[in-house]
Amino acid sequence: ASREAFLTEIIPYMELHCNLSRLEQEAQTRLASSDTLTPEETAYQALLHNPSVLIVDEPTTGLDPEERIRIRNLLFDFSADRTVLFSTHVTEDLAATCNQLAVMKKGHFLYSGNMSELIEQAQGHVWKCRVSNENKAREVEQRYHVSAKQLTSDGLLMKIISSSHPDIECWPCEASLEDAYIYLSNKKLDVMPGDGKEKKPSYSRHI
């Protein structure tokens, strides 16, 4: 598409979703004072050039939920007939915007392909269990990868990632993209941080 046609398309969108006049004013003020641009301002400037390939690094870091959704939607719409390379550690952003992804660890590709196929690799390796208190939870964390903990009226609900059925009372559950990332990143190297021994590390996140 020509630059003129693209601007005709993108400017009304940004006026509706990104408060374009405010972004223009803030961007000019920050450029004049050499301050760092916000992610919204950076995206606005990059999109106005109508690039065929756009590379963004952690574009939603530090944003509130509404701003994150605006940036994600903007990048998703922009990618309809263009290539957007999206580098991030936030799996929620990837799940909302991407269909192809690559996972790197220490400079090496662990996976490159379809997102659903990556999640499929972790199916059958994600479990949930319930424990009565934090002491029991720590015992589980010492033995298994724990990707999430949730406080409930019946105790702590924990999500475990394991290559085999854990030898505790638990039940299988659907894998998320975050579960698949943790499973892929650690299925060949189960080392407790700072320990050097082959054990199961703990990855804890509240859900």
Side-chain angles (χ1 to χ4, degrees):
S2 68
R3 176 175 171 79
E4 291 76 14
F6 171 72
L7 291 177
T8 301
E9 169 192 348
I10 197 67
I11 287 179
Y13 177 94
M14 298 196 73
E15 286 177 336
L16 176 63
H17 295 281
C18 298
N19 194 344
L20 185 57
S21 60
R22 178 182 62 81
L23 288 177
E24 288 179 321
Q25 182 178 8
E26 290 186 359
Q28 291 174 357
T29 301
R30 289 177 182 274
L31 285 173
S33 62
S34 299
D35 287 342
T36 303
L37 298 179
T38 68
E40 280 186 291
E41 293 163 356
T42 302
Y44 165 61
Q45 287 194 327
L47 293 180
L48 287 181
H49 293 284
N50 189 20
S52 58
V53 177
L54 179 66
I55 301 175
V56 289
D57 182 29
E58 304 284 359
T60 63
T61 299
L63 300 181
D64 65 36
E66 286 190 1
E67 291 173 329
R68 287 179 59 196
I69 292 171
R70 283 202 300 268
I71 292 295
R72 290 200 312 237
N73 290 344
L74 183 62
L75 294 175
F76 179 82
D77 292 344
F78 183 77
S79 68
D81 54 357
R82 305 168 186 85
T83 299
V84 176
L85 182 59
F86 191 149
S87 173
T88 183
H89 289 84
V90 183
T91 55
E92 181 183 350
D93 289 345
L94 292 176
T97 57
C98 303
N99 51 24
Q100 299 287 322
L101 80 163
V103 179
M104 292 186 68
K105 185 175 184 179
K106 297 182 178 179
H108 299 283
F109 282 103
L110 300 181
Y111 177 83
S112 178
N114 187 278
M115 187 177 304
S116 61
E117 292 176 357
L118 174 59
I119 295 175
E120 184 63 30
Q121 290 188 21
Q123 300 293 6
H125 302 288
V126 185
W127 317 81
K128 284 187 176 181
C129 71
R130 196 182 304 275
V131 296
S132 57
N133 54 57
E134 282 286 354
N135 289 334
K136 295 290 185 181
R138 282 192 287 270
E139 292 177 6
V140 174
E141 289 175 315
Q142 290 173 359
R143 301 175 60 190
Y144 301 103
H145 298 288
V146 175
S147 65
K149 295 190 297 184
Q150 182 179 12
L151 184 62
T152 71
S153 58
D154 299 322
L156 281 169
L157 184 63
M158 306 180 71
K159 183 184 283 188
I160 297 171
I161 299 174
S162 175
S163 57
S164 59
H165 194 300
D167 59 357
I168 59 176
E169 184 177 349
C170 59
W171 60 94
C173 64
E174 289 293 313
S176 66
L177 180 59
E178 184 174 71
D179 298 329
Y181 170 78
I182 295 174
Y183 173 72
L184 178 69
S185 298
N186 296 278
K187 68 178 182 179
K188 293 183 179 179
L189 184 62
D190 293 324
V191 177
M192 186 72 78
D195 185 84
K197 299 178 182 179
E198 294 189 359
K199 296 179 180 178
K200 303 290 185 180
S202 172
Y203 293 82
S204 179
R205 178 169 297 184
H206 290 275
I207 55 176

